[in-house]
Amino acid sequence: MIPINARIRAATLLLVLLQPAGAAYGFACFHGPNGACVHWSQGSVTLRTLLGNPTGELMNGTLSWDTNVLNAADEWNSAGAAFQYTVVQDDNGSPNFTCPGSGQCGGAPGDNPIFFSSTACSGGFGDIVAVTVTCWDDTGAIVDAPVLFNSTVPWNAYDGALQPPLNDIHRVLLHEFGHVFGLAHPDQATPPQIVVAIMNSHESDTYQLQPDDISGIQTIYRNNAAPTTGCQIDAPNGARATWLLVVPAVIALRRRARAC
Amino acid sequence: MVVQRDFPELVARAEQIAIGTVTDIRSGEDASGAPMTFVTFSGLTVLKGQVDATLTLRFYGGTTGKYTVQVSDMPTFTTGERDVLFVAGNNRDVCPLVGAWQGRFHVRFDPGSATEVVDDNDANPITQLSGRELIRTPLQADTTRPTAMTLDAFRQLIANELSHPQAGIGQGSGQ
């Protein structure tokens, strides 16, 4: 009789070996004060877009920047996580955003304006094309995460390979919305992860969510319930003492332990 | 998310290039109350521009009261580490390095060759310059660390680029 631990290890190894090349996950998150991933304490977050309309049709056929905001939010919403974006168009509104300071996050809690700006908080953008200013409290709960787009660089919207000097707003929106809910750059994790991901640290030919990105949001916001303390806590629901069910749970927990 | 910068762009766009050791990291606020992280480098070797005896770089982000502000493109530093820095926009931009994290390289002592070698911001060894691009071999936990370029060789690349700059360093403030 082979001990059950040995069987679990063997089955785990077999499943790992059977994964297709490149299936390893490397997603990373922002770490809060307790070491866990920072997170929204509710499963639904509103994005308020003030990007408005370009002067003409964009290269991907859309007519407004806001449509690209909606599309990017929908892609994350389709990832199967217990987290949903709601987009509100507020093109005639004001960002109502002041950069965080003096012991406060910027703006009202839960208000996440998306807008063009010629300056980032406290200075210029430099070589940064867009920035998410993620602010969380001492429990690791995200308070707000405004997204500022550098208005001094050229923007359009297109699929496929990068076409410098045009920045593709759709892929940058996907990337920044990953920061809004707490993902960080996998290629800058410790140790760095070599994965194809929209969350990697610089613009690339990747223009859609990748399995690694989806695994990231599913890990932080899982179990169809709002997270409470980030992804270091509780084991997945429904893990039972049969090895066929334990093995995937072990794999999942190992991934979470590595990533978070 | 940042614009990708090649090696000639790093050199050309840098207002200062320096090698130094991190001797102090401090969280604070600027005059407007914005959270900042101030990283001071000492023991400087200056390769381009004017730098005082120490160099303090100002990065946006940090902790203010009970809140932490994170801007994902900022590199992080550890006291005692040695870096090569391509500085631009210090006290002006949210990140005072060319290409944000792309303008920071780690200097590491390699016991095998008994020399200082150069890794990128993500600890991937720099192995050579090919055309305009620095070639970095991704560091994987299950592989032997590849041989990295020595610091002397990296300095020579910078000197060569300063004396004979390659054409075309991009355009605009962000491109």
Side-chain angles (χ1 to χ4, degrees):
Chain A
M1 174 79 67
I2 301 172
I4 190 159
N5 283 347
R7 276 190 280 165
I8 291 172
R9 283 194 210 103
T12 302
L13 179 61
L14 180 62
L15 288 178
V16 169
L17 291 174
L18 288 175
Q19 288 186 68
Y25 292 109
F27 57 84
C29 65
F30 298 138
H31 295 283
N34 58 1
C37 296
V38 303
H39 57 278
W40 288 91
S41 55
Q42 67 274 22
S44 178
V45 166
T46 298
L47 303 169
R48 186 165 60 91
T49 176
L50 298 92
L51 294 181
N53 299 317
T55 53
E57 181 177 330
L58 298 169
M59 291 163 64
N60 66 358
T62 58
L63 296 173
S64 77
W65 304 118
D66 293 338
T67 301
N68 287 277
V69 172
L70 284 164
N71 292 343
D74 277 347
E75 287 174 54
W76 280 114
N77 287 348
S78 300
F83 180 89
Q84 294 286 296
Y85 281 126
T86 300
V87 176
V88 174
Q89 285 183 261
D90 191 21
D91 294 339
N92 296 320
S94 162
N96 290 329
F97 171 68
T98 54
C99 292
S102 303
Q104 300 291 325
C105 293
D111 183 31
N112 306 297
I114 304 160
F115 58 100
F116 286 112
S117 176
S118 60
T119 59
C121 287
S122 78
F125 279 93
D127 280 337
I128 298 173
V129 298
V131 66
T132 301
V133 184
T134 310
C135 187
W136 61 81
D137 67 17
D138 53 5
T139 71
I142 299 174
V143 177
D144 61 17
V147 183
L148 287 69
F149 278 79
N150 185 344
S151 63
T152 70
V153 299
W155 291 98
N156 208 301
Y158 55 89
D159 293 343
L162 274 179
Q163 301 179 37
L166 286 180
N167 296 286
D168 167 35
I169 201 163
H170 177 258
R171 76 191 70 190
V172 177
L173 282 163
L174 281 175
H175 179 96
E176 299 303 329
F177 289 175
H179 290 320
V180 168
F181 67 74
L183 281 181
H185 299 150
D187 57 340
Q188 294 183 328
T190 305
Q193 302 297 303
I194 303 165
V195 291
V196 177
I198 201 76
M199 292 311 299
N200 278 334
S201 56
H202 57 74
E203 291 179 296
S204 74
D205 293 344
T206 300
Y207 63 98
Q208 296 172 305
L209 295 185
Q210 300 297 307
D212 190 76
D213 305 307
I214 292 169
S215 185
I217 189 172
Q218 289 178 340
T219 299
I220 300 177
Y221 302 93
R222 65 183 189 281
N223 293 346
N224 297 315
T228 53
T229 59
C231 63
Q232 271 191 341
I233 51 161
D234 59 305
N237 292 335
R240 295 179 183 170
T242 57
W243 70 270
L244 279 172
L245 291 175
V246 168
V247 168
V250 169
I251 295 171
L253 285 171
R254 284 182 175 175
R255 286 174 179 162
R256 285 171 187 139
R258 187 184 65 219
C260 303
Chain B
M1 187 171 266
V2 301
V3 176
Q4 196 155 10
R5 294 296 182 202
D6 62 27
F7 182 70
E9 288 176 317
L10 288 179
V11 175
R13 288 175 175 271
E15 293 157 2
Q16 297 97 21
I17 303 174
I19 305 167
T21 301
V22 177
T23 52
D24 186 52
I25 301 172
R26 182 169 50 87
S27 287
E29 296 181 350
D30 69 3
S32 70
M36 296 289 175
T37 300
F38 300 92
V39 183
T40 298
F41 294 84
S42 303
L44 298 174
T45 302
V46 180
L47 307 178
K48 180 182 180 183
Q50 298 291 319
V51 180
D52 294 335
T54 62
L55 172 64
T56 298
L57 299 181
R58 188 196 75 161
F59 296 86
Y60 180 69
T63 299
T64 174
K66 64 180 282 194
Y67 298 105
T68 298
V69 179
Q70 173 79 46
V71 177
S72 57
D73 294 304
M74 301 298 167
T76 56
F77 297 86
T78 305
T79 302
E81 72 178 42
R82 197 162 179 234
D83 295 312
V84 183
L85 304 156
F86 294 76
V87 180
N90 192 26
N91 296 314
R92 183 184 71 215
D93 294 338
V94 290
C95 181
L97 298 172
V98 182
W101 46 266
Q102 298 167 86
R104 180 269 200 100
F105 295 85
H106 293 282
V107 176
R108 166 176 57 87
F109 182 76
D110 176 38
S113 59
T115 56
E116 289 183 306
V117 296
V118 178
D119 296 340
D120 71 5
N121 179 66
D122 304 328
N124 301 306
I126 301 293
T127 54
Q128 62 173 310
L129 178 67
S130 177
R132 301 174 64 91
E133 301 293 338
L134 288 169
I135 305 301
R136 54 205 78 201
T137 304
L139 186 61
Q140 307 231 35
D142 58 349
T143 62
T144 304
R145 183 185 282 268
T147 302
M149 178 183 293
T150 66
L151 176 61
D152 286 344
F154 192 66
R155 287 181 60 174
Q156 190 59 53
L157 289 180
I158 295 170
N160 292 346
E161 186 61 37
L162 285 169
S163 59
H164 299 96
Q166 296 187 47
I169 62 165
Q171 54 184 305
S173 62
Q175 297 296 311

